[in-house]
Amino acid sequence: MIKVLINGCNGKMGQEVAKSVLQTPDIETLCGFDKIDFGDNNFPVFTNVSEINLIPDVIIDFSIPEATFTILEFAVKNKIPTVIATTGFSHEEILKIKEYSKNIPIFMSSNMS
């Protein structure tokens, strides 16, 4: 069973990712991370990265650039591969992501340069 942390889990796309994971055998949403916990997910949602006490096999990031970097710090600290589907990064932010990728596997699925 692959355990996933969804960053941006309460956003429109984060909710779609959660639905897809729920319908996929051998994958489960271990937890989510977002700025607010609405309490209506079928998994725990953390609003403070320092309180995340569950370690997933992979992080799926569908958030905003600021939140991406918050979760990347957590990912590097815990050696968690990350899929980034967030868009809107500046050139400097893309370079920063490339630096993070020297420490953990990162798959950038968004329209980045």
Side-chain angles (χ1 to χ4, degrees), residues 84-90 93-94 97 106-113:
I84 300 175
T86 299
T87 60
F89 294 104
S90 69
E93 289 170 327
I94 292 169
I97 290 169
I106 295 177
F107 177 77
M108 297 183 291
S109 65
S110 62
N111 58 349
M112 292 192 243
S113 302

Side-chain angles (χ1 to χ4, degrees), residues 1-6 18 21-22 24-31 43 56-58:
M1 182 71 67
I2 298 171
K3 297 176 188 319
V4 175
L5 181 156
I6 302 171
V21 168
L22 192 59
T24 306
D26 300 326
I27 302 176
E28 72 172 315
T29 302
L30 179 66
C31 60
F43 50 84
D57 298 311
V58 65

Side-chain angles (χ1 to χ4, degrees), residues 7 33 61 63-72 86 89 93:
N7 188 38
F33 180 70
D61 170 56
S63 61
I64 59 173
E66 180 181 330
T68 298
F69 289 105
T70 299
I71 209 66
L72 278 175
T86 299
F89 294 104
E93 289 170 327

